[in-house]
Amino acid sequence: MAVMNGRAIVAGAAEGEALVSREPLSFWGGYDFKTGTIVDTHHPLAGVRAAGTVLALPFSRGSSTTTAVLLEAVRAGTAPAALVTTGIDSFFALASIVAGVMYEKSFPVVALDAGDFDRLTSGQWITIETSGIVRADGA
Amino acid sequence: MQLTARDRAMLEGAEGPAPQLAMSILVRMAEIGGAPGLMDISQAHIDSTIYLGDATLEFAERLAALGARVAVPTSLNVSGVDVCGWQRWAVPPEWAAKAARQMRAYEQMGAVATWTCAPYHTHMRPAFGQQIAWGESNAIAFANSVIGARTERYPDLLDVCCAITGRVPAVGLHLTENRAGQTLLQLVDVPRPLQADDQFFAVLGHLVGQLAGDAIPVIDGIVTRPVEDQLKAFAAAAASSGRVALFHLVGITPEAPTLDAAFQGRRPRATIDITVPALKAARAELTNADGADLDMVILGSPHFSLDEFRRLAPLVAGQRRHPRVKLLVTSGRAMKEQAEQAGVLAPVLEFGAEITLDTCVLASPMLPPDIKRLMTNSAKYAYYAPSLLAARITFGSLADCVRSAIEGRVVRDDSTWQ
């Protein structure tokens, strides 16, 4: 098991299966909130369901509407359980904060060092603590 | 973090519940961004207008119900519906009604009903050096890079908080020292005829977005003088394939009179060559269609400008589109009015084109299911249409698009790119 000290950008506890990509993602045009599936045909995770996973992406790209898509996903129950990034991604942080304000359902957003981020692989079981500690089991 | 007395008063509710809610979100974002405090803006552009579903509507209506008013001149991005023309398309009535409610909520806040993703084409265009809070990825990149106004990369739901309070975290691209170029992208042996091609800046933008990662790119080696619509196409492409919020084109954009100025005297963190094969590959990525079948040509992402109408009018004058192929131009109210006054709208309509205002094919479910094979000169449409519309799309020049609409099948002059 790997234990990593992340920075809790938006603090919270969550666990789930890791879904990892080195490729950034725009949620608008990239995430179908009706199904919780990644739909960006340019993205390596296209077609993969991300609802309930701990989704690890280096950062957001593309549309400003990424935050609104994430808010819709939270409302619809199709959002990832948490987001893990390599830097402070203000889009993911904002979506979580507004999800807290609107629906009392914020989700953890944690930033890892690039080195720690590289230790994540899809299929690991990830546990995120409020302090920002990230535990990765298996795979 | 240091808040002013007024910031604190807003946070405590002295100016009402809407500024209080907006300020509470802003302060949290400022803390996350490590801001020393907040600063004033003198303009905003709200991207949160795009209706997606109940959450975006509930957010807008909650703020409106709390009595939210914008504190600075504020323009509005595209909505989810063309209120005057949706009935001609496949928009479900329930969608149209809810999208219109979301529009009314933002109009109630005192924002200007520009309803465009190209606010820089309207009277709300900011000035060089002006501190603004803009949402909409293409508009952010354009405002920062082409105009030299200063905005962070604001997401939906935060842009409106900035507009309501007139304040933003004092971080990022608002500050001179953070506007220096970081990565040098050097055109190597890219011949002038290719650079002068109508598709060049859109293709270059698509490639730059991929290469820049999260850095501010500086592009050197451009030997042509791009017009503003080419810079718009570049900005939109780079902000779709990547996260580019500011770029510098050496000798072209206002903060990059020289290579040294673009980097503010610092050294590039990385240098990447841009070659003809890389550009050809980038162009090829913008087409996922095979064959020549065609249902519709779509123009206007970002929204079509007066100058683009001026270019389109002589290409279509005296001709007629093929009866099987539609031509749709998406634009804003101001640009359509200007085109009408300039006499360049009539030939486009006589050609058989249709105009959609306030929204676009990506933001409104307007295309009927039998329209699946598209052609465009917009890298942004080409980037998002396969994912958002499950469409097959061909990228080409404006002239290619018009010729294809006339012939009823995809026709491209690829000679410059071979």
Side-chain angles (χ1 to χ4, degrees), chain A residues 7 9-10 26 28-30 33-34 39-42 59-65 67-69 71-72 75 88-91 93-95 97-98 101-103, chain B residues 21 25 28-29 32 47 50 52-56 58-59 62 135-137 140 153-158 213-214 239-243 362 383-384 386-388:
Chain A
R7 181 179 159 199
I9 306 298
V10 179
S26 171
W28 187 74
F33 70 82
K34 294 193 174 72
V39 293
D40 178 355
T41 56
H42 307 274
F59 47 84
S60 65
R61 75 176 168 207
S63 173
S64 292
T65 309
T67 48
V69 174
L71 185 69
E72 292 284 359
R75 190 185 185 283
I88 299 170
D89 192 284
S90 62
F91 280 27
L94 180 85
I97 288 168
V98 177
V101 169
M102 292 294 294
Y103 306 114
Chain B
L21 177 61
I25 293 171
R28 282 198 68 184
M29 291 307 292
I32 286 170
D47 193 52
I50 296 178
L52 297 175
D54 289 336
T56 58
E58 284 163 4
F59 180 76
R62 174 148 170 202
E136 168 57 54
S137 63
I140 293 165
R153 179 171 166 261
Y154 287 104
D156 290 27
L157 317 172
L158 185 61
D214 55 359
S240 298
S241 68
R243 66 179 272 133
L362 303 177
Y383 187 88
Y384 285 115
S387 308
L388 278 167

Coordinates of all heavy atoms in Angstrom, one line a residue, chain A residues 7 9-10 26 28-30 33-34 39-42 59-65 67-69 71-72 75 88-91 93-95 97-98 101-103, chain B residues 21 25 28-29 32 47 50 52-56 58-59 62 135-137 140 153-158 213-214 239-243 362 383-384 386-388:
Chain A
R7 N -2.3 17.6 -0.7 CA -2.8 18.9 -0.1 C -4.3 18.9 -0.4 O -4.8 18.7 -1.5 CB -2.1 20.1 -0.8 CG -2.6 21.3 -0.3 CD -2.0 22.6 -0.9 NE -2.9 23.7 -0.6 CZ -3.0 24.8 -1.2 NH1 -2.1 25.1 -2.2 NH2 -3.8 25.8 -0.9
I9 N -7.2 20.4 -1.2 CA -7.7 21.7 -1.8 C -9.1 22.0 -1.3 O -9.4 23.1 -0.8 CB -7.6 21.6 -3.3 CG1 -6.2 21.2 -3.8 CG2 -8.1 23.0 -3.9 CD1 -5.1 22.1 -3.4
V10 N -10.0 21.0 -1.4 CA -11.3 21.0 -0.7 C -11.3 19.7 0.1 O -11.2 18.6 -0.4 CB -12.4 21.0 -1.7 CG1 -13.8 20.9 -1.0 CG2 -12.4 22.2 -2.7
S26 N -11.6 18.3 -20.2 CA -12.7 19.2 -20.1 C -14.0 18.5 -19.8 O -14.3 17.5 -20.5 CB -12.9 20.0 -21.4 OG -14.1 20.8 -21.3
W28 N -17.1 19.8 -19.8 CA -18.0 20.1 -20.8 C -17.5 19.5 -22.1 O -16.3 19.7 -22.5 CB -18.2 21.7 -21.0 CG -19.3 22.1 -21.9 CD1 -20.6 22.0 -21.7 CD2 -19.1 22.6 -23.2 NE1 -21.3 22.4 -22.8 CE2 -20.4 22.8 -23.8 CE3 -18.0 22.9 -24.0 CZ2 -20.6 23.4 -25.1 CZ3 -18.2 23.4 -25.3 CH2 -19.5 23.7 -25.8
G29 N -18.3 18.8 -22.8 CA -17.8 18.1 -24.0 C -17.0 16.9 -23.7 O -16.4 16.3 -24.5
G30 N -16.9 16.6 -22.4 CA -16.0 15.5 -22.0 C -16.6 14.5 -21.0 O -16.1 13.4 -20.8
F33 N -23.1 14.0 -17.8 CA -23.5 13.9 -16.4 C -24.8 13.0 -16.2 O -25.2 12.7 -15.1 CB -23.7 15.3 -15.8 CG -24.9 16.1 -16.3 CD1 -26.2 15.9 -15.9 CD2 -24.6 17.0 -17.3 CE1 -27.2 16.6 -16.4 CE2 -25.7 17.8 -17.8 CZ -27.0 17.6 -17.4
K34 N -25.4 12.7 -17.3 CA -26.6 11.8 -17.2 C -26.2 10.4 -16.9 O -26.9 9.7 -16.3 CB -27.4 11.9 -18.5 CG -28.1 13.3 -18.7 CD -29.1 13.3 -19.8 CE -29.8 14.6 -19.9 NZ -29.0 15.7 -20.5
V39 N -16.8 11.2 -22.2 CA -17.2 11.1 -23.6 C -16.3 11.8 -24.6 O -16.6 11.8 -25.8 CB -18.7 11.6 -23.8 CG1 -19.7 10.6 -23.1 CG2 -18.9 13.0 -23.3
D40 N -15.3 12.5 -24.1 CA -14.4 13.2 -25.0 C -13.7 12.2 -25.9 O -12.8 11.4 -25.4 CB -13.4 14.0 -24.1 CG -12.4 14.8 -25.0 OD1 -12.4 14.6 -26.2 OD2 -11.6 15.5 -24.4
T41 N -14.0 12.3 -27.2 CA -13.4 11.3 -28.1 C -11.9 11.5 -28.3 O -11.3 10.6 -28.8 CB -14.1 11.4 -29.5 OG1 -14.0 12.7 -29.9 CG2 -15.6 11.0 -29.4
H42 N -11.4 12.6 -27.8 CA -10.0 12.8 -27.9 C -9.2 12.3 -26.7 O -8.0 12.4 -26.6 CB -9.7 14.3 -28.0 CG -10.4 15.0 -29.1 ND1 -10.0 15.1 -30.4 CD2 -11.6 15.7 -29.1 CE1 -10.8 15.8 -31.1 NE2 -11.8 16.1 -30.4
F59 N -4.9 18.1 -14.5 CA -5.6 19.3 -14.4 C -6.8 19.4 -15.4 O -6.9 18.5 -16.2 CB -4.7 20.5 -14.6 CG -3.8 20.4 -15.8 CD1 -4.3 20.8 -17.1 CD2 -2.5 20.0 -15.7 CE1 -3.4 20.7 -18.2 CE2 -1.6 19.9 -16.9 CZ -2.1 20.3 -18.1
S60 N -7.6 20.4 -15.3 CA -8.7 20.5 -16.2 C -8.2 21.3 -17.5 O -7.3 22.1 -17.4 CB -9.9 21.3 -15.6 OG -9.5 22.7 -15.3
R61 N -8.8 21.0 -18.6 CA -8.5 21.8 -19.8 C -9.9 22.3 -20.4 O -10.9 21.9 -19.9 CB -7.8 21.0 -20.8 CG -8.6 19.9 -21.6 CD -7.7 19.2 -22.6 NE -8.4 18.0 -23.2 CZ -7.8 17.0 -23.7 NH1 -6.4 16.9 -23.7 NH2 -8.4 16.0 -24.1
G62 N -9.8 23.1 -21.4 CA -11.0 23.4 -22.2 C -11.9 24.3 -21.5 O -11.6 25.3 -20.8
S63 N -13.2 23.9 -21.5 CA -14.3 24.8 -21.3 C -14.4 25.3 -19.8 O -14.2 24.5 -18.9 CB -15.6 24.1 -21.7 OG -16.7 24.8 -21.3
S64 N -14.8 26.5 -19.7 CA -15.2 27.1 -18.4 C -16.4 26.4 -17.8 O -16.6 26.5 -16.6 CB -15.6 28.6 -18.5 OG -14.5 29.4 -18.9
T65 N -17.2 25.7 -18.6 CA -18.4 25.1 -18.2 C -18.1 23.7 -17.5 O -19.0 23.1 -17.0 CB -19.4 24.9 -19.3 OG1 -19.5 26.2 -20.0 CG2 -20.8 24.5 -18.9
T67 N -17.1 23.3 -14.6 CA -17.6 23.3 -13.2 C -19.1 23.1 -13.2 O -19.6 22.4 -12.3 CB -17.3 24.8 -12.6 OG1 -17.8 25.7 -13.6 CG2 -15.9 25.0 -12.4
A68 N -19.8 23.6 -14.2 CA -21.3 23.5 -14.2 C -21.6 22.0 -14.5 O -22.6 21.5 -13.9 CB -21.9 24.4 -15.2
V69 N -20.8 21.4 -15.4 CA -21.1 19.9 -15.6 C -20.9 19.1 -14.4 O -21.7 18.2 -14.0 CB -20.2 19.4 -16.8 CG1 -20.4 17.9 -17.0 CG2 -20.5 20.2 -18.1
L71 N -21.2 20.2 -11.3 CA -22.3 20.5 -10.4 C -23.6 19.6 -10.8 O -24.2 19.1 -9.9 CB -22.6 22.0 -10.4 CG -23.7 22.4 -9.4 CD1 -23.2 22.3 -8.0 CD2 -24.1 23.9 -9.7
E72 N -23.8 19.6 -12.1 CA -25.0 18.8 -12.5 C -24.7 17.3 -12.2 O -25.7 16.6 -11.8 CB -25.1 18.9 -14.1 CG -25.6 20.2 -14.6 CD -27.1 20.5 -14.4 OE1 -27.8 19.6 -13.8 OE2 -27.5 21.6 -14.7
R75 N -25.5 16.7 -8.5 CA -27.0 16.7 -8.3 C -27.6 15.4 -8.8 O -28.5 14.9 -8.2 CB -27.6 17.9 -9.1 CG -29.1 18.2 -8.7 CD -29.6 19.3 -9.6 NE -31.0 19.6 -9.2 CZ -32.1 18.9 -9.5 NH1 -31.9 17.8 -10.2 NH2 -33.3 19.2 -9.1
I88 N -3.0 22.9 -8.1 CA -4.3 23.5 -7.6 C -5.1 23.7 -8.8 O -4.8 24.6 -9.6 CB -4.1 24.8 -6.8 CG1 -3.2 24.5 -5.6 CG2 -5.4 25.4 -6.4 CD1 -2.7 25.7 -4.9
D89 N -6.1 22.9 -9.0 CA -7.0 23.2 -10.2 C -8.3 23.9 -9.6 O -9.1 23.3 -9.0 CB -7.4 21.9 -10.9 CG -8.1 22.2 -12.2 OD1 -9.3 22.6 -12.2 OD2 -7.4 22.2 -13.2
S90 N -8.4 25.2 -10.0 CA -9.5 26.0 -9.4 C -10.8 25.6 -9.9 O -11.8 25.7 -9.2 CB -9.2 27.5 -9.7 OG -9.2 27.7 -11.1
F91 N -10.9 25.0 -11.1 CA -12.2 24.5 -11.6 C -12.8 23.4 -10.7 O -13.9 23.5 -10.4 CB -12.0 24.0 -13.1 CG -12.0 25.1 -14.1 CD1 -11.5 26.4 -13.8 CD2 -12.4 24.9 -15.4 CE1 -11.4 27.4 -14.8 CE2 -12.3 25.9 -16.4 CZ -11.8 27.1 -16.1
A93 N -12.0 22.6 -7.7 CA -12.2 23.2 -6.4 C -13.5 23.9 -6.3 O -14.4 23.7 -5.4 CB -11.1 24.1 -5.9
L94 N -13.7 24.8 -7.3 CA -15.0 25.6 -7.3 C -16.2 24.7 -7.4 O -17.2 24.9 -6.7 CB -15.0 26.6 -8.4 CG -16.2 27.4 -8.4 CD1 -16.1 28.6 -7.5 CD2 -16.7 27.8 -9.8
A95 N -16.2 23.7 -8.3 CA -17.3 22.8 -8.5 C -17.7 22.2 -7.1 O -18.8 22.1 -6.8 CB -17.0 21.8 -9.5
I97 N -17.0 23.3 -4.1 CA -17.4 24.3 -3.1 C -18.9 24.6 -3.4 O -19.7 24.7 -2.5 CB -16.5 25.5 -3.1 CG1 -15.2 25.2 -2.5 CG2 -17.2 26.7 -2.5 CD1 -14.1 26.3 -2.7
V98 N -19.2 24.8 -4.7 CA -20.6 25.2 -5.0 C -21.6 24.0 -4.8 O -22.7 24.2 -4.3 CB -20.7 25.7 -6.4 CG1 -22.2 26.0 -6.8 CG2 -19.9 27.0 -6.6
V101 N -22.4 24.3 -1.3 CA -23.4 25.4 -1.0 C -24.8 25.0 -1.5 O -25.8 25.2 -0.8 CB -22.9 26.7 -1.8 CG1 -24.0 27.7 -1.7 CG2 -21.6 27.2 -1.1
M102 N -24.9 24.4 -2.7 CA -26.2 24.2 -3.3 C -26.8 22.9 -2.7 O -28.0 22.8 -2.6 CB -26.1 24.1 -4.8 CG -25.7 25.4 -5.5 SD -27.0 26.6 -5.4 CE -28.4 25.9 -6.3
Y103 N -26.0 21.8 -2.6 CA -26.6 20.5 -2.3 C -26.0 19.8 -1.1 O -26.3 18.7 -0.8 CB -26.5 19.6 -3.5 CG -27.1 20.3 -4.8 CD1 -26.3 20.6 -5.9 CD2 -28.4 20.6 -4.8 CE1 -26.8 21.3 -7.0 CE2 -29.0 21.2 -5.9 CZ -28.2 21.5 -7.0 OH -28.7 22.2 -8.1
Chain B
L21 N -23.3 35.5 -0.3 CA -23.1 34.2 -0.8 C -21.9 34.3 -1.8 O -21.0 33.4 -1.8 CB -24.4 33.7 -1.5 CG -24.2 32.3 -2.2 CD1 -23.8 31.2 -1.2 CD2 -25.5 31.9 -2.9
I25 N -18.0 32.4 -1.5 CA -17.4 31.5 -2.5 C -16.1 32.1 -2.9 O -15.0 31.4 -3.0 CB -18.4 31.3 -3.7 CG1 -19.6 30.5 -3.2 CG2 -17.6 30.6 -4.8 CD1 -20.7 30.4 -4.2
R28 N -13.3 31.7 -0.3 CA -12.7 30.4 -0.3 C -11.8 30.1 -1.5 O -10.7 29.5 -1.3 CB -13.9 29.3 -0.3 CG -14.5 29.2 1.1 CD -15.3 27.9 1.2 NE -14.5 26.7 1.2 CZ -15.0 25.5 1.3 NH1 -16.3 25.3 1.3 NH2 -14.2 24.4 1.3
M29 N -12.2 30.6 -2.6 CA -11.3 30.4 -3.8 C -10.0 31.2 -3.7 O -9.0 30.8 -4.1 CB -12.1 30.8 -5.1 CG -13.2 29.9 -5.5 SD -12.7 28.2 -5.6 CE -11.7 28.2 -7.0
I32 N -7.8 29.3 -1.5 CA -7.2 28.1 -2.2 C -6.1 28.6 -3.1 O -5.1 27.9 -3.3 CB -8.3 27.4 -3.0 CG1 -9.2 26.6 -2.0 CG2 -7.8 26.5 -4.1 CD1 -10.4 26.0 -2.6
D47 N -20.3 33.2 -18.0 CA -20.4 32.0 -18.8 C -21.4 31.0 -18.2 O -21.8 30.1 -18.9 CB -19.0 31.3 -19.0 CG -19.0 30.2 -20.0 OD1 -19.4 30.5 -21.2 OD2 -18.6 29.1 -19.7
I50 N -25.0 29.2 -19.7 CA -25.2 28.0 -20.5 C -26.1 27.1 -19.7 O -25.7 26.6 -18.6 CB -23.9 27.3 -20.9 CG1 -23.1 28.2 -21.8 CG2 -24.2 25.9 -21.5 CD1 -21.8 27.6 -22.2
L52 N -27.6 23.7 -18.7 CA -27.2 22.3 -18.8 C -28.3 21.4 -18.3 O -28.6 20.3 -18.8 CB -25.9 21.9 -18.1 CG -24.7 22.6 -18.5 CD1 -23.5 22.2 -17.6 CD2 -24.3 22.2 -20.0
G53 N -28.9 21.8 -17.2 CA -29.9 21.0 -16.5 C -30.4 21.8 -15.3 O -30.2 23.0 -15.1
D54 N -31.0 21.0 -14.4 CA -31.6 21.6 -13.2 C -30.6 22.3 -12.3 O -30.9 23.3 -11.7 CB -32.4 20.6 -12.4 CG -33.6 20.1 -13.1 OD1 -34.1 20.9 -14.0 OD2 -34.1 19.0 -12.9
A55 N -29.4 21.9 -12.2 CA -28.4 22.5 -11.3 C -28.0 23.9 -11.8 O -28.0 24.8 -11.0 CB -27.1 21.6 -11.2
T56 N -27.8 24.1 -13.1 CA -27.4 25.4 -13.5 C -28.6 26.4 -13.4 O -28.4 27.5 -13.0 CB -26.9 25.4 -15.0 OG1 -27.9 24.9 -15.9 CG2 -25.6 24.6 -15.2
E58 N -31.0 26.1 -11.1 CA -31.3 26.3 -9.7 C -30.2 27.3 -9.1 O -30.6 28.2 -8.3 CB -31.2 25.0 -8.9 CG -32.4 24.1 -9.0 CD -32.2 22.7 -8.6 OE1 -31.2 22.3 -8.1 OE2 -33.2 21.9 -8.8
F59 N -29.0 27.2 -9.6 CA -28.0 28.1 -9.1 C -28.3 29.6 -9.6 O -28.3 30.5 -8.8 CB -26.6 27.7 -9.7 CG -25.5 28.6 -9.3 CD1 -24.9 28.5 -8.1 CD2 -25.0 29.5 -10.2 CE1 -23.8 29.3 -7.7 CE2 -23.9 30.4 -9.9 CZ -23.3 30.2 -8.6
R62 N -31.5 30.8 -7.7 CA -31.3 31.0 -6.3 C -30.6 32.4 -6.1 O -31.0 33.2 -5.3 CB -30.3 30.0 -5.7 CG -29.9 30.3 -4.3 CD -29.7 29.0 -3.5 NE -29.1 29.3 -2.2 CZ -28.4 28.4 -1.5 NH1 -28.3 27.2 -2.0 NH2 -27.9 28.7 -0.4
G135 N -15.6 34.6 -18.0 CA -15.7 33.2 -18.2 C -15.7 32.9 -19.7 O -15.7 33.9 -20.5
E136 N -15.8 31.7 -20.2 CA -15.8 31.3 -21.6 C -14.4 31.2 -22.1 O -13.7 32.2 -22.3 CB -16.7 32.2 -22.5 CG -16.5 32.0 -24.0 CD -16.7 30.6 -24.5 OE1 -17.8 30.0 -24.2 OE2 -15.9 30.0 -25.2
S137 N -13.9 29.9 -22.3 CA -12.5 29.7 -22.6 C -12.0 30.5 -23.7 O -10.9 31.0 -23.7 CB -12.3 28.2 -22.8 OG -13.0 27.7 -23.9
I140 N -11.7 34.2 -22.8 CA -10.6 34.5 -21.8 C -9.3 34.6 -22.6 O -8.5 35.5 -22.4 CB -10.6 33.3 -20.8 CG1 -11.8 33.3 -19.9 CG2 -9.3 33.4 -20.0 CD1 -12.0 31.9 -19.2
R153 N -8.5 32.6 -15.6 CA -9.3 31.6 -16.3 C -10.5 31.3 -15.4 O -10.5 30.4 -14.6 CB -8.5 30.4 -16.6 CG -9.1 29.2 -17.3 CD -8.0 28.2 -17.7 NE -8.6 26.9 -18.1 CZ -8.7 25.8 -17.3 NH1 -8.3 25.9 -16.1 NH2 -9.2 24.7 -17.8
Y154 N -11.6 32.1 -15.5 CA -12.7 31.9 -14.6 C -13.7 30.9 -15.1 O -14.1 30.9 -16.3 CB -13.5 33.3 -14.4 CG -12.7 34.2 -13.6 CD1 -12.0 35.3 -14.1 CD2 -12.5 34.0 -12.2 CE1 -11.2 36.1 -13.3 CE2 -11.7 34.8 -11.4 CZ -11.1 35.8 -12.0 OH -10.3 36.6 -11.2
P155 N -14.1 30.0 -14.2 CA -15.1 29.0 -14.6 C -16.5 29.5 -14.3 O -16.7 30.5 -13.6 CB -14.8 27.9 -13.6 CG -14.3 28.5 -12.4 CD -13.5 29.8 -12.8
D156 N -17.5 28.8 -14.9 CA -18.9 29.0 -14.6 C -19.1 28.9 -13.1 O -18.4 28.2 -12.4 CB -19.7 27.9 -15.3 CG -19.8 28.0 -16.8 OD1 -18.8 28.5 -17.4 OD2 -20.7 27.5 -17.4
L157 N -20.0 29.6 -12.6 CA -20.4 29.7 -11.2 C -19.5 30.6 -10.4 O -19.9 31.1 -9.4 CB -20.4 28.3 -10.5 CG -21.1 27.1 -11.4 CD1 -20.9 25.8 -10.7 CD2 -22.5 27.4 -11.6
L158 N -18.3 30.8 -10.8 CA -17.4 31.8 -10.1 C -17.5 33.2 -10.8 O -17.5 34.2 -10.2 CB -16.0 31.3 -10.1 CG -15.0 32.2 -9.3 CD1 -15.4 32.3 -7.8 CD2 -13.6 31.6 -9.4
G213 N 0.5 22.4 -22.4 CA 0.2 21.8 -21.1 C -0.4 22.9 -20.2 O -1.4 23.6 -20.7
D214 N 0.1 23.2 -19.0 CA -0.5 24.2 -18.2 C 0.4 25.5 -18.2 O 0.3 26.4 -17.4 CB -0.7 23.8 -16.8 CG 0.5 23.2 -16.1 OD1 1.6 23.1 -16.8 OD2 0.4 22.8 -14.9
A239 N -7.8 26.9 -26.6 CA -8.5 26.8 -25.3 C -9.4 25.6 -25.3 O -10.1 25.3 -24.3 CB -9.3 28.1 -25.0
S240 N -9.6 24.9 -26.4 CA -10.4 23.7 -26.5 C -9.5 22.5 -26.3 O -9.7 21.6 -25.5 CB -11.1 23.6 -27.8 OG -12.0 24.7 -28.0
S241 N -8.4 22.4 -27.1 CA -7.5 21.2 -27.0 C -6.6 21.3 -25.8 O -6.1 20.3 -25.3 CB -6.7 21.1 -28.3 OG -5.7 22.1 -28.3
G242 N -6.5 22.5 -25.2 CA -5.7 22.7 -24.0 C -6.3 23.6 -23.0 O -7.6 23.7 -23.0
R243 N -5.5 24.2 -22.1 CA -6.1 25.0 -21.1 C -5.5 26.5 -21.2 O -5.3 27.2 -20.2 CB -5.9 24.5 -19.7 CG -4.4 24.4 -19.2 CD -4.3 23.9 -17.8 NE -4.4 24.9 -16.8 CZ -5.2 24.8 -15.7 NH1 -6.0 23.8 -15.5 NH2 -5.1 25.7 -14.8
L362 N -23.6 23.4 -30.0 CA -23.1 22.6 -28.9 C -23.8 22.9 -27.6 O -23.8 22.0 -26.7 CB -21.6 23.0 -28.8 CG -20.7 22.8 -30.0 CD1 -19.3 23.2 -29.7 CD2 -20.7 21.3 -30.4
Y383 N -13.5 20.2 -32.7 CA -13.1 19.5 -31.5 C -14.2 18.9 -30.7 O -14.1 17.8 -30.3 CB -12.3 20.5 -30.6 CG -11.6 19.8 -29.4 CD1 -10.3 19.2 -29.6 CD2 -12.2 19.6 -28.2 CE1 -9.7 18.5 -28.6 CE2 -11.7 18.9 -27.2 CZ -10.4 18.4 -27.4 OH -9.8 17.7 -26.4
Y384 N -15.3 19.7 -30.5 CA -16.3 19.2 -29.6 C -17.5 18.5 -30.2 O -18.2 17.7 -29.5 CB -16.9 20.4 -28.8 CG -16.0 21.0 -27.7 CD1 -15.5 22.3 -27.8 CD2 -15.7 20.2 -26.6 CE1 -14.7 22.8 -26.8 CE2 -14.9 20.7 -25.6 CZ -14.4 22.0 -25.7 OH -13.6 22.5 -24.7
P386 N -17.7 15.8 -32.2 CA -17.7 14.4 -32.1 C -18.2 13.9 -30.7 O -18.9 12.9 -30.6 CB -16.3 13.9 -32.4 CG -15.7 15.0 -33.2 CD -16.4 16.3 -32.7
S387 N -17.8 14.6 -29.7 CA -18.1 14.2 -28.3 C -19.5 14.6 -27.9 O -20.3 13.8 -27.4 CB -17.1 14.8 -27.3 OG -15.8 14.6 -27.7
L388 N -19.9 15.9 -28.2 CA -21.2 16.4 -27.8 C -22.3 16.0 -28.7 O -23.5 16.0 -28.2 CB -21.1 17.9 -27.7 CG -20.4 18.5 -26.4 CD1 -20.1 20.0 -26.5 CD2 -21.3 18.2 -25.2

